[in-house]
Amino acid sequence: MTSRTRTVAAVAAAATVLLALTTTFGLLVITVLVGGVVGGGGCGGDGGPGGGSQQIGSRTWSGEQTANAQVITSAVIGRALPRRAAVIAVATAIVESRLRNLAYGDRDSLGLFQQRPSQGWGAPERILNPALATVTFLDHLLAIPDWATLSSGVAEQLVQRSATPEAYRPQETAAADLVGKFWTGPDNPLPPAPAGGGPDTRLVSLAVAGCPDQGGSNIPLGPGDLNAKAMPPGYTLPADPRARVALSFAVAQLGKPYVWGASGPNSFDCSGLIQAAWAAAGVAVSRTTTTQLNDGQPVAGLDQAQAGDLLFIPGADGTANHPGHVGIYAGGADGQGLVIDAYDATRGVIVERLATWAPKVVAVRRVTPATAPPPNSTILAEGNPTQ
């Protein structure tokens, strides 16, 4: 396991946001640089399942950081583990990645916890899914005798085997503040023994939302619109290997419920579906709609969109400047473009026609790297996607 990542690139100056809007081919291309609290952030601005950028305890966190703290806390609650497990996991992620889902790190380290595929932490597509990476971290933590009663920083070091073991203890206070923000219900007792079964079967979809329900689509869908829980006849997955895996995953989720703040495997919100789909292809994507606006590269116009691109619309609670909903462009069948998204709590994950989205699309982002996916990158694409 790696030490705290020292190759993390410098982020934009704290507490600043630059919104650069240009119009090309009638499409708003939006660039967002986020560091610290976003102007107009929180539930009324950058939102996200963690409640957006805000001060928690004595420190200020971005929307991406609060979202990832929420994911970790939800995973611990879902496994009925003590709150102490969440504090340890969040403190580790603060040290290793600054609570960000990184696509890079020391040697082959990746993700929130900077786990290394070469050291037995799983395939990149698992590590780059924060919910699944948390499950892996918890599995290693539970294997440590008396982990819950060890001194501050010790359990983290026994899991991570870091070259800087002293780094974890100072972060436990901030981690406890974050966990306290998202914890629901009483503390859980220590489990009598590590739970049986594979980790995926113990991961449930939880939403410990820091904001009211939001993030759904507001595109009207009439009886004649494509509002399907299966791909139409004739649909074929794209040739690009990574986009093919991401869309294979998205197709397999059709029909699952929409739950605000959920990132799988049983339910999703819109940005949670995007993150999980691209993680299945070994690509790191951030957790919230606002931060996904800065993932990858901008696409100049909707007419240049490729399968796998992210499409942003204002949605039920956003604006053209601050889109609140995202879907993944699935390419087309019989000349008809398609979009897969976690629509809202009434419809769940569906496929729609691009034509219904086109008038509302305000940004397109391309996150597809120009490289082939790992050999086992389909392990998270559950179900029977169209080939």
Side-chain angles (χ1 to χ4, degrees), residues 73-368:
T73 305
S74 293
V76 173
I77 295 172
R79 290 180 63 170
L81 294 174
R83 185 187 296 213
R84 178 68 184 148
V87 173
I88 291 169
V90 171
T92 301
I94 292 173
V95 171
E96 297 292 346
S97 68
R98 295 176 61 189
L99 270 172
R100 292 172 299 157
N101 190 30
L102 300 178
Y104 53 88
D106 180 43
R107 289 171 283 187
D108 60 336
S109 301
L110 297 168
L112 282 180
F113 302 99
Q114 290 291 278
Q115 296 162 342
R116 295 183 60 192
S118 66
Q119 299 301 306
W121 286 86
E125 57 268 26
R126 182 177 186 86
I127 295 172
L128 290 172
N129 183 313
L132 297 180
T134 300
V135 168
T136 302
F137 179 90
L138 294 174
D139 286 342
H140 283 73
L141 178 65
L142 295 179
I144 298 171
D146 303 319
W147 62 268
T149 58
L150 297 173
S151 299
S152 296
V154 174
E156 293 94 328
Q157 171 61 12
L158 290 174
V159 173
Q160 299 293 104
R161 301 179 183 178
S162 170
T164 55
E166 70 282 356
Y168 300 111
R169 181 178 180 180
Q171 301 302 331
E172 284 208 4
T173 298
D177 290 337
L178 284 164
V179 171
K181 175 75 175 179
F182 304 117
W183 191 271
T184 58
D187 200 356
N188 295 313
L190 278 170
D200 287 353
T201 63
R202 301 195 301 275
L203 178 63
V204 297
S205 295
L206 288 180
V208 185
C211 293
D213 188 15
Q214 56 179 304
S217 177
N218 65 342
I219 293 178
L221 294 176
D225 293 317
L226 183 62
N227 171 18
K229 302 186 186 304
M231 300 304 281
Y235 174 73
T236 16
L237 292 165
D240 178 87
R242 287 193 186 268
R244 184 179 182 87
V245 172
L247 281 164
S248 177
F249 180 96
V251 168
Q253 313 316 308
L254 288 170
K256 290 188 177 180
Y258 174 104
V259 174
W260 166 245
S263 54
N266 303 323
S267 58
F268 298 88
D269 66 11
C270 64
S271 56
L273 175 64
I274 295 298
Q275 183 183 64
W278 274 108
V283 178
V285 174
S286 59
R287 177 57 183 86
T288 71
T289 302
T290 296
T291 55
Q292 287 173 4
L293 273 168
N294 198 46
D295 288 342
Q297 300 296 323
V299 176
L302 188 57
D303 59 337
Q304 299 180 36
Q306 297 177 5
D309 287 349
L310 312 188
L311 307 183
F312 297 85
I313 62 173
D317 63 345
T319 66
N321 291 353
H322 299 283
H325 191 73
V326 61
I328 184 168
Y329 179 48
D334 300 325
Q336 299 293 323
L338 302 169
V339 181
I340 297 174
D341 70 316
Y343 184 93
D344 67 8
T346 62
R347 290 183 172 89
V349 181
I350 62 172
V351 56
E352 303 171 62
R353 290 193 178 93
L354 178 62
T356 63
W357 275 60
K360 294 182 177 290
V361 172
V362 296
V364 181
R365 301 293 294 191
R366 181 163 300 150
V367 299
T368 317

